[in-house]
Amino acid sequence: MKKSSIEINKHPIDKYLRRDRMPHIWCPGCGLGMDITAFIEGTKQANIDMNNMQIVSGIGCTGRISGYIKLDAYHTTHGRAIPFASGLKLANRNLTVVVFSGDGDLFAIGGNHLIHAARRNVDLTVICVNNFIYGMTGGQTAPTTPVGAFSSTAPYGNFEKPFNLVGVAASAGASYVARWTSLHTKRLANSIAKALSNKGFSFIEIVSPCPTVFGRKNNRSDALGLINELRDRSRIDNSANPTEIPITNYGEIVIGDFLNEPRPCFSESFEEGIKKTKERIEK
Amino acid sequence: MKDCNFKIVGFGGQGIILTSYVLGTAISIHDGNSVSMTQSYGPEARGGTCSSQLVISSSEVNYPLVEKTDILVVLSQEGYDKYFQILNTDGVLFYDLNMVKKEKINKKIKAFSIPATKIAEDLGNKLFANMVMLGFIAAHTDIVKAGSLKKAIKETVSPKYIDIDLKAFDLGYHYAENANKE
Amino acid sequence: MGIVEKTQKKGTSKKETREIVIKKERCKGCNFCVEYCPRDVLEVSEEFNEKGYHPPKIVNSDQCLFCGLCERICPDFAIYIKNNETEPEKEEKPISETTHGLFNIVKSKYEGEFFMQGDIACAEGAIYAGCRFFGGYPITPATEIAERMAKRLPFLDGVFIQFEDEIASMAGILGASWAGAKSMTATSGPGISLMNENIGLGMMTETPCVVVNVQRGSPSTGLPTSWGQADMMQAKWGSHGDYGSITLCPKSPQEFFDLTIVAFNYSEKYRLPVFILTDAIVGHMIEKVIIPPPDKLEIINRKYTKKRPQDYLPYEAESNLIPDFAKAGDGYHYYVTGLTHDERGYPIMTEEVQKENVTRLVEKINTYSDDIIILEERDIDKADIVVIAYGITSRTVIPAIEKAKKKGIKVGYLRLITIWPFPEKRINEIARNIKGFVVVEMNLGQIVLEVERCAAPYTSTKLVPHAGGGIHNIDDIVKAIEELAHEKK
């Protein structure tokens, strides 16, 4: 192909990307690009007005997603994507607000915000890309690092029990909960569409390969090997109870569309409460 | 009216803050003088010593705190014991006869007493003692006009208590103070 | 590059052509496409791309079913199925006057004279200024502001939310501001310490909002129900890095009302979080507050761009140094980041961009400092000694000044209503003509450092400190005035 035709040929996703920032900073074999593709497909399925779509992320490899998707996008501080997004959504309910961030950002430094936003059922879609480690800072233990896995701050293997992300989200009150791997692109896209359509707190965990940082510290640095491993270890079970499916270092990864139980979101409850009060006052 | 400091002391639940709020409203909004009100209360919602103070002036109030007071109103023994010392030697003391036992005090101090709690109980609830006291104060000082206080009561208290509060106020206002002046 | 398949759609005369396109320059050589292609259409090539990776090549083109799996699993957007019947790109939406219905300002019915607490006056000031989003966390002595907002906002089509902590509160009001709402939070020292992280984000992203600090005794938990003025420097230097900041300091409930409106105006005009620093006395004090009719006071709203999305750069500041806003949801697709960024909002990690970005954050406040600085002066022309104070302390010094005047000393009074940017110019001017400054503050020496800096070559400065939890003794202030007045120059 001639050089000129490269420029003429536009990847269909390019219109949703900040093309002037490509190629992205992510390492070879990183799952994040696949996650973006699935996300865009999901938004199309859900028929969302892309101008109303607001992408909010925190800090970390996944935090950079907001900088590559060409929508109104906010790259906030470490762990604070969810409260920032809550403000955005509550102040203008016409907006569709998506938080796209990593496991360390959402569950370590930002853990408190996540459980409270889930409890309030704020109308947000939170997509957590879980790679089991802090990638951008060079491989420190995350709240998701499996017992026995190595990191630069767990040089003798991690002793701490990790969070089961879908379990935490479901227990805290999320009204939609799913888990997929980056490889399950089609199912992931379907889930994203459902999450966007749920008026409430939706949570999707994407188990995503990080060959360069997690892989290298854990004898799985081959990108293809790692994605094959995710394929081989995962089992789809939509009826699984999200609180009972923790992820271990080598064991089965149960994936699926676990919970879809809509309930009034924060704004609806708020409005309902005020409406009742107004009625009482008018009487 | 002379510039003066005013302090009211009691325990939580006696309506100390409300009393000084009503008084402050009457003086600042209806009489047109300057008032700065501050308050302090213990961590307990009920029963702890509670006090509130007003700095009243015909011009702008600068220093907002009351270190020495010209008028001291006490509705509890603890408040009396704790705060009597900050009353100026030519000051005025108002106290609730049912709640406070007064010791022998400097003769320059004018002391007025009223069985506010008893009067309030006869009216139905001892919670009205603060309004009885307010009426009593209005009758014996020139810091506020009685009419302004009544307006302030109407604006401040919950509508269902306006009538009874005004009645309590009047009972205090017309209470014939006797024998307790020393 | 690619294979071409021509098909005809049923029921149409349109021909559809599909092909695989590989954008070799984007490939990072993970080989996912090669491995996962169900028909083994792809193979790793011998060729190197610019970055030294081997992009895939098409070998069994006739086997391709155009299933699109390669496109989906490529992490680098480097391969796709081109459908020549792809939908045409929609024209970008022109500027529309989107109204965010939720925030149509409902005029406050609070109008007239009230005997009102400082904290409540602050909340009413915010409502008057058009604030319709409050995010906060309870803390003495600022809680009454949140409580008032919780009561009032829902009936003005606004939103009150009690967040899980102050970190979330600050992040939340920034988000709300980007959604178009005027937003505010209120707290005290411990809360400000937590908020400072996102205050920095607000400064870097130039997000208008108001942060109220009702100061209490400190450091740490300090004196929760008592007062202090020891967060003065924190307001300027609290979050890491260089940025221009604005801090206002009210002395009474009336001024708490007035300055809250000014704070909103400044935040909207200069695009930054603006601080109001008061203290537990003013916060809890009750005095007469006059609330004027709704249109009486000037209200400034942020400036939205008139440019079309394709011409708009979110951080392009004209000579006025302040970039225009774009409305969320209007199709501008801006990117906002706490990283050092250029005028497109893109992170750029170079010395030049850092210099340009940060310098503008500082300069936009310096440039307008004359408009931002508000001072109250009394008797300065004839004075030998000038007493400088702010907030509640500016009231306690008045009786001291009167006393000193009775002793024959010529005393002037300078009240700092704007603390930051610091009124360097004016203090420097005054310093040339007087014998000395007496700085009275409820801390062990903060603003005095700034006064010294501006006064040093011309005159001396004396501090009357107080650790907080009480109020200055008037005689201490008088003594300091006397000492300075009788000092040999």
Side-chain angles (χ1 to χ4, degrees):
Chain A
M1 184 194 273
K2 281 180 215 143
K3 182 113 190 162
S4 62
S5 63
I6 292 177
E7 285 155 12
I8 292 164
N9 282 326
K10 238 167 98 179
H11 195 293
I13 203 167
D14 278 6
K15 72 173 175 186
Y16 304 107
L17 297 180
R18 298 182 196 275
R19 272 203 305 278
D20 45 354
R21 298 200 68 210
M22 290 289 134
H24 53 58
I25 60 162
W26 299 313
C27 311
C30 172
L32 283 164
M34 301 154 80
D35 304 339
I36 290 184
T37 308
F39 171 70
I40 297 295
E41 198 183 321
T43 55
K44 284 184 186 163
Q45 261 187 49
N47 214 3
I48 303 284
D49 176 351
M50 292 304 240
N51 283 345
N52 277 335
M53 178 74 82
Q54 311 285 309
I55 309 289
V56 186
S57 64
I59 297 295
C61 293
T62 315
R64 292 300 183 107
I65 277 189
S66 58
Y68 294 121
I69 302 184
K70 194 165 174 269
L71 298 171
D72 291 348
Y74 311 85
H75 185 214
T76 66
T77 41
H78 197 19
R80 319 302 174 210
I82 288 180
F84 186 101
S86 300
L88 202 55
K89 177 68 192 180
L90 300 180
N92 183 351
R93 291 175 220 176
N94 297 326
L95 302 174
T96 305
V97 183
V98 175
V99 172
F100 223 131
S101 217
D103 48 308
D105 188 77
L106 289 171
F107 281 85
I109 188 166
N112 197 33
H113 308 309
L114 183 127
I115 56 173
H116 285 280
R119 167 178 72 79
R120 297 182 184 113
N121 203 28
V122 182
D123 186 10
L124 300 175
T125 294
V126 176
I127 302 172
C128 176
V129 179
N130 178 8
N131 57 8
F132 306 109
I133 204 151
Y134 284 91
M136 187 156 274
T137 47
Q140 296 75 32
T141 308
T144 47
T145 306
V147 174
F150 293 90
S151 80
S152 66
T153 47
Y156 314 111
N158 178 33
F159 311 117
E160 296 175 21
K161 185 177 181 217
F163 271 142
N164 165 21
L165 306 189
V166 286
V168 173
S171 314
S175 44
Y176 177 85
V177 177
R179 175 199 278 159
W180 299 102
T181 79
S182 297
L183 190 61
H184 295 79
T185 56
K186 190 72 195 152
R187 290 185 170 89
L188 173 58
N190 295 344
S191 253
I192 287 168
K194 281 190 206 165
L196 290 169
S197 313
N198 172 38
K199 211 168 177 196
F201 190 90
S202 305
F203 179 79
I204 298 175
E205 174 185 1
I206 309 178
V207 179
S208 199
C210 172
T212 307
V213 181
F214 180 78
R216 200 152 57 190
K217 292 194 185 315
N218 289 283
N219 285 326
R220 290 123 120 170
S221 61
D222 172 35
L224 195 54
L226 193 53
I227 198 119
N228 287 342
E229 185 192 315
L230 290 185
R231 177 193 62 199
D232 298 339
R233 281 169 61 195
S234 52
R235 177 172 65 84
I236 299 175
D237 179 2
N238 290 326
S239 63
N241 178 343
T243 62
E244 292 168 355
I245 46 172
I247 299 176
T248 58
N249 203 2
Y250 290 101
E252 189 176 67
I253 301 171
V254 178
I255 52 177
D257 194 359
F258 306 124
L259 188 138
N260 194 354
E261 289 169 6
R263 63 183 170 96
C265 72
F266 179 89
S267 300
E268 287 168 338
S269 311
F270 184 90
E271 259 177 8
E272 183 59 27
I274 296 303
K275 210 178 106 196
K276 277 187 190 154
T277 310
K278 273 183 183 159
E279 283 166 7
R280 216 178 53 223
I281 292 170
E282 275 155 21
K283 263 182 215 168
Chain B
M1 190 207 73
K2 200 171 106 234
D3 291 3
C4 79
N5 289 350
F6 173 99
K7 188 169 184 96
I8 177 166
V9 198
F11 47 76
Q14 282 185 317
I16 300 295
I17 307 293
L18 178 72
T19 309
S20 62
Y21 184 84
V22 168
L23 184 57
T25 305
I27 299 170
S28 75
I29 307 296
H30 302 302
D31 286 352
N33 287 311
S34 297
V35 182
S36 191
M37 171 179 160
T38 50
Q39 51 196 287
S40 51
Y41 33 81
E44 315 83 3
R46 292 281 176 276
T49 298
C50 172
S51 73
S52 176
Q53 52 246 328
L54 306 180
V55 179
I56 305 160
S57 173
S58 50
S59 59
E60 191 187 356
V61 175
N62 288 306
Y63 199 83
L65 300 187
V66 170
E67 282 164 358
K68 278 286 191 180
T69 189
D70 303 302
I71 299 172
L72 178 68
V73 181
V74 281
L75 293 165
S76 76
Q77 188 63 42
E78 199 190 343
Y80 175 82
D81 296 344
K82 200 169 165 189
Y83 287 105
F84 180 71
Q85 42 160 339
I86 73 160
L87 181 61
N88 282 329
T89 43
D90 56 352
V92 183
L93 173 73
F94 291 93
Y95 64 101
D96 185 333
L97 208 50
N98 306 121
M99 304 298 290
V100 178
K101 276 203 183 74
K102 181 172 66 69
E103 290 155 22
K104 277 224 176 275
I105 55 171
N106 191 322
K107 281 190 179 159
K108 278 190 192 162
I109 293 176
K110 278 193 224 160
F112 297 94
S113 67
I114 181 171
T117 303
K118 176 75 173 53
I119 294 172
E121 264 179 357
D122 292 345
L123 204 55
N125 196 322
K126 64 181 177 189
L127 286 177
F128 304 128
N130 58 346
M131 292 297 149
V132 176
M133 185 55 96
L134 211 45
F136 189 57
I137 294 165
H140 293 274
T141 67
D142 65 348
I143 59 169
V144 64
K145 294 193 183 90
S148 302
L149 269 173
K150 284 185 172 182
K151 268 191 221 166
I153 290 170
K154 284 183 207 158
E155 289 162 1
T156 309
V157 305
S158 165
K160 59 179 171 184
Y161 292 119
I162 290 177
D163 289 346
I164 192 134
D165 275 347
L166 288 175
K167 202 167 173 192
F169 179 87
D170 284 340
L171 287 173
Y173 192 82
H174 297 295
Y175 177 76
E177 214 276 331
N178 48 36
N180 295 303
K181 202 165 164 186
E182 288 162 34
Chain C
M1 157 94 39
I3 50 166
V4 178
E5 183 215 41
K6 292 188 174 139
T7 54
Q8 190 155 1
K9 272 188 188 168
K10 276 181 189 168
T12 69
S13 59
K14 273 189 189 168
K15 278 204 171 164
E16 197 183 33
T17 57
R18 294 190 289 187
E19 61 182 306
I20 305 172
V21 181
I22 297 169
K23 291 178 87 78
K24 287 190 275 189
E25 77 283 7
R26 285 185 180 175
C27 178
K28 289 179 184 164
C30 69
N31 296 334
F32 289 179
C33 55
V34 176
E35 179 75 10
Y36 278 84
C37 174
R39 310 282 287 190
D40 295 333
V41 175
L42 301 165
E43 201 174 77
V44 182
S45 70
E46 298 287 307
E47 186 187 348
F48 287 103
N49 70 3
E50 289 162 21
K51 302 221 160 174
Y53 297 113
H54 295 290
K57 64 176 182 190
I58 297 157
V59 287
N60 295 318
S61 57
D62 52 331
Q63 288 292 306
C64 183
L65 298 170
F66 302 99
C67 69
L69 185 58
C70 54
E71 179 181 325
R72 280 212 196 91
I73 68 169
C74 174
D76 299 291
F77 318 115
I79 186 167
Y80 65 96
I81 308 300
K82 186 181 177 193
N83 184 340
N84 289 330
E85 282 294 297
T86 46
E87 45 177 322
E89 270 188 53
K90 273 186 220 152
E91 287 224 351
E92 299 206 53
K93 205 169 126 192
I95 316 153
S96 68
E97 288 300 317
T98 315
T99 50
H100 299 294
L102 187 59
F103 289 100
N104 286 342
I105 295 173
V106 178
K107 304 289 181 199
S108 148
K109 280 181 203 146
Y110 281 81
E111 193 183 318
E113 292 184 352
F114 301 89
F115 192 52
M116 192 177 258
Q117 199 188 40
D119 280 350
I120 291 173
C122 168
E124 288 301 331
I127 289 166
Y128 190 102
C131 173
R132 291 296 179 270
F133 187 97
F134 186 97
Y137 188 78
I139 188 168
T140 306
T143 306
E144 289 86 350
I145 301 176
E147 288 171 344
R148 181 68 163 195
M149 290 305 242
K151 260 188 211 147
R152 295 271 277 128
L153 284 181
F155 292 94
L156 298 168
D157 284 347
V159 175
F160 169 86
I161 178 168
Q162 182 180 321
F163 275 107
E164 54 274 16
D165 55 29
E166 286 91 346
I167 299 170
S169 307
M170 190 61 215
I173 66 163
L174 294 180
S177 181
W178 278 96
K182 287 189 183 177
S183 60
M184 177 170 97
T185 189
T187 186
S188 188
I192 290 283
S193 292
L194 288 178
M195 285 178 183
N196 266 318
E197 173 194 55
N198 287 318
I199 286 169
L201 180 67
M203 293 295 178
M204 193 61 156
T205 55
E206 303 179 57
T207 308
C209 59
V210 172
V211 179
V212 180
N213 178 358
V214 186
Q215 296 174 92
R216 60 194 225 186
S218 54
S220 189
T221 316
L223 301 170
T225 57
S226 194
W227 42 81
Q229 288 182 326
D231 306 347
M232 307 311 297
M233 284 294 177
Q234 189 197 33
K236 168 79 178 148
W237 301 110
S239 200
H240 49 282
D242 285 315
Y243 49 85
S245 66
I246 301 179
T247 299
L248 304 171
C249 211
K251 66 163 189 176
S252 64
Q254 178 68 57
E255 225 177 60
F256 210 173
F257 173 87
D258 296 339
L259 290 184
T260 302
I261 298 168
V262 174
F264 271 100
N265 285 349
Y266 284 170
S267 79
E268 294 283 312
K269 191 170 174 188
Y270 303 112
R271 284 193 64 169
L272 79 167
V274 171
F275 295 96
I276 302 175
L277 252 63
T278 184
D279 54 77
I281 304 181
V282 174
H284 281 166
M285 172 194 280
I286 305 176
E287 287 185 346
K288 182 159 86 177
V289 174
I290 301 170
I291 301 183
D295 297 317
K296 186 82 184 296
L297 301 180
E298 187 195 20
I299 302 296
I300 297 173
N301 296 314
R302 67 192 66 178
K303 203 173 145 218
Y304 284 106
T305 184
K306 292 196 164 65
K307 289 183 176 165
R308 294 175 307 169
Q310 55 267 44
D311 303 326
Y312 172 74
L313 296 174
Y315 288 97
E316 183 183 33
E318 311 274 330
S319 55
N320 70 359
L321 301 176
I322 302 153
D324 289 347
F325 260 99
K327 270 185 186 146
D330 272 5
Y332 284 84
H333 300 163
Y334 52 74
Y335 178 50
V336 175
T337 177
L339 287 163
T340 295
H341 47 268
D342 63 8
E343 53 201 16
R344 295 170 300 172
Y346 288 1
I348 306 284
M349 304 296 112
T350 64
E351 191 183 345
E352 292 76 24
V353 174
Q354 168 74 4
K355 184 181 166 197
E356 203 170 303
N357 189 353
V358 180
T359 307
R360 191 173 56 74
L361 294 184
V362 173
E363 280 309 311
K364 73 172 179 182
I365 301 306
N366 287 345
T367 307
Y368 297 102
S369 61
D370 286 350
D371 300 330
I372 299 169
I373 291 169
I374 313 171
L375 301 170
E376 184 192 343
E377 299 183 3
R378 293 186 200 170
D379 306 327
I380 285 186
D381 292 348
K382 298 162 272 175
D384 282 334
I385 305 295
V386 169
V387 176
I388 297 183
Y390 51 87
I392 190 63
T393 315
S394 69
R395 295 172 60 156
T396 58
V397 300
I398 299 284
I401 290 173
E402 298 308 321
K403 256 190 176 174
K405 278 182 174 170
K406 275 184 194 152
K407 294 187 177 191
I409 305 169
K410 290 176 187 162
V411 191
Y413 166 84
L414 177 65
R415 179 159 76 93
L416 312 181
I417 299 172
T418 304
I419 301 287
W420 308 112
F422 196 71
E424 307 172 344
K425 228 168 34 186
R426 183 59 186 141
I427 288 182
N428 193 277
E429 259 168 35
I430 297 171
R432 290 162 202 245
N433 303 312
I434 61 164
K435 226 175 155 186
F437 285 113
V438 172
V439 179
V440 185
E441 51 185 342
M442 217 187 286
N443 56 53
L444 302 184
Q446 298 192 8
I447 292 303
V448 69
L449 300 174
E450 289 291 303
V451 176
E452 268 169 8
R453 179 172 69 80
C454 306
Y458 307 107
T459 190
S460 50
T461 301
K462 200 174 180 71
L463 168 71
V464 187
H466 192 294
I471 201 162
H472 283 86
N473 186 316
I474 290 172
D475 292 335
D476 290 345
I477 304 170
V478 177
K479 203 174 133 210
I481 297 171
E482 278 183 300
E483 278 172 12
L484 201 56
H486 300 135
E487 205 173 74
K488 288 203 174 94
K489 209 172 180 180

